[in-house]
Amino acid sequence: QVRLVESGGGLVQAGGSLRLSCAASGSIFRINTMGWYRQAPGKQRELVSSITSAGSINYADSVKGRFTISRDNAKNTMYLQMNSLKPEDTAVYYCNINARGWLDYWGQGTQVTVSS
């Protein structure tokens, strides 16, 4: 019954900005971390940013200073604000919630394409 739905992806020019949203529906208990992952063609899926239930935030070195992760508990929504986008940011971005330390929920992914 749990579903994560991403939105906000699209085609943008280098240097532009984009905000991704992840809306969660259904009951999710004992959330450990929430985060954004991405996977580019020919590459493995990588962690972009994460936030723990206690509020601790981590960013991949490649996006530090450009991306900002946030959440709105009242709306059950997580966001990824992406600024100063680069062509190498092009990937499918996935929303993830880890619950109970062993249970992972994933969104369907949203395509982000950054042109030169």
Side-chain angles (χ1 to χ4, degrees):
Q1 291 183 290
V2 175
R3 288 188 293 180
L4 304 180
V5 181
E6 299 99 335
S7 62
L11 175 63
V12 298
Q13 289 184 299
S17 298
L18 209 60
R19 187 183 71 169
L20 304 183
S21 298
C22 173
S25 62
S27 298
I28 305 177
F29 298 95
R30 300 180 182 179
I31 295 176
N32 290 316
T33 61
M34 297 173 285
W36 290 93
Y37 289 74
R38 68 185 181 187
Q39 186 167 23
K43 296 184 178 180
Q44 295 184 340
R45 186 173 299 186
E46 65 173 344
L47 176 65
V48 177
S49 181
S50 65
I51 180 169
T52 70
S53 59
S56 180
I57 297 174
N58 291 302
Y59 294 100
D61 289 339
S62 60
V63 307
K64 192 171 297 182
R66 299 188 296 118
F67 291 11
T68 302
I69 190 172
S70 63
R71 63 186 178 189
D72 188 333
N73 292 329
K75 297 181 179 180
N76 295 316
T77 302
M78 180 174 61
Y79 305 94
L80 183 67
Q81 178 67 46
M82 304 183 294
N83 298 325
S84 302
L85 284 164
K86 304 174 181 179
E88 49 263 45
D89 294 319
T90 297
V92 177
Y93 285 71
Y94 297 91
C95 175
N96 168 263
I97 294 179
N98 177 268
R100 308 185 186 186
W102 53 268
L103 181 61
D104 283 287
Y105 300 98
W106 293 91
Q108 81 288 349
T110 184
Q111 177 70 49
V112 172
T113 302
V114 184
S115 62
S116 301

